[in-house]
């Protein structure tokens, strides 16, 4: 008699969102914005935008957990430095009570694998200086914030409303 297969439930399951997942993704992003006191257009607007952007393949959203409990949002564009695509990890969020369980790492690894699968050779992302946990995750995965390597000048990400 053979033994049962190893329990794979220990590995977080990451899957690509479909347009039908827009309500769950909208909930996660709205909660993310609220947690960090950032403005949000509201769940209804976010749901409409996610449904459209995912359906039109203008972004890829990855979901993790049964809730789902987190998401990663990727965008791609051609760029002049190489014939490959440029990938941008626009958002990565795990609900507070599931942090520290490997979901963020699973999302980040799946995002990198997805980007490679889409033809990207590089990924960029931004996070705030005070989000020490996110910075630790990104740095442990090999992301750097110094131009030219570990001894170069610190790189900055800027934004502004137009």
């Amino acid at each position: 008699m053979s033994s049962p297969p190893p329990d794979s439930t220990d590995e977080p399951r990451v899957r690509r969102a479909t347009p039908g997942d827009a309500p769950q993704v909208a909930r996660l992003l709205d909660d993310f914005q609220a947690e960090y006191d950032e403005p949000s257009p509201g769940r209804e607007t976010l749901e409409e935008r996610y449904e459209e952007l995912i359906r039109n393949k203008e972004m890829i959203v990855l979901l993790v957990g049964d809730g789902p409990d987190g998401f990663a949002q990727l965008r791609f564009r051609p760029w002049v430095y190489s014939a490959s695509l440029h990938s941008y990890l626009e958002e990565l969020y795990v609900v507070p009570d599931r942090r520290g369980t490997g979901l963020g790492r699973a999302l980040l690894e799946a995002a990198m694998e997805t980007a490679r699968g889409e033809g990207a050779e590089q990924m960029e992302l931004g996070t705030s200086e005070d989000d020490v946990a996110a910075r630790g995750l990104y740095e442990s995965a090999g992301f750097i914030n110094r131009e030219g390597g570990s001894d170069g000048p610190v790189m900055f990400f800027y934004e502004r409303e137009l």
Side-chain angles (χ1 to χ4, degrees):
M1 201 184 257
S2 65
S3 60
D7 186 2
S8 64
T9 58
D10 292 333
E11 292 295 318
R13 186 173 86 81
V14 177
R15 67 177 179 84
R16 205 178 275 217
T18 67
D21 291 311
Q24 291 83 8
V25 182
R27 170 186 56 84
L28 288 165
L29 182 60
D30 192 60
D31 290 350
F32 185 16
Q33 296 300 94
E35 181 179 342
Y36 290 96
D37 294 320
E38 294 290 334
S40 171
R43 289 184 185 185
E44 185 175 308
T45 299
L46 290 171
E47 183 177 332
E48 291 171 7
R49 295 296 296 145
Y50 273 118
E51 193 279 329
E52 177 185 345
L53 293 167
I54 293 169
R55 180 176 23 83
N56 292 337
K57 300 181 183 348
E58 293 180 51
M59 72 169 41
I60 293 175
V61 176
L62 303 173
L63 299 171
V64 69
D66 297 329
D69 299 313
F71 79 107
Q73 180 173 307
L74 291 159
R75 294 224 187 223
F76 300 92
R77 69 176 191 260
W79 67 326
V80 22
Y81 296 106
S82 128
S84 67
L85 290 174
H86 176 269
S87 62
Y88 178 56
L89 181 59
E90 197 167 44
E91 305 288 355
L92 191 146
Y93 176 72
V94 173
V95 297
D97 65 339
R98 296 298 314 274
R99 292 180 188 153
T101 64
L103 298 182
R105 174 144 329 262
L107 279 169
L108 182 58
E109 289 175 2
M112 291 186 297
E113 185 60 34
T114 298
R116 282 189 287 273
E118 293 293 317
E121 293 178 353
Q122 181 184 21
M123 178 178 283
E124 291 182 349
L125 57 86
T127 191
S128 64
E129 181 179 18
D130 60 345
D131 195 343
V132 177
R135 289 176 46 213
L137 172 64
Y138 300 141
E139 290 170 12
S140 73
F143 286 85
I144 59 170
N145 64 353
R146 297 198 168 267
E147 193 170 354
S150 63
D151 60 348
V154 173
M155 295 186 296
F156 292 96
F157 172 81
Y158 290 92
E159 66 180 306
R160 91 166 256 189
E161 290 185 29
L162 299 176

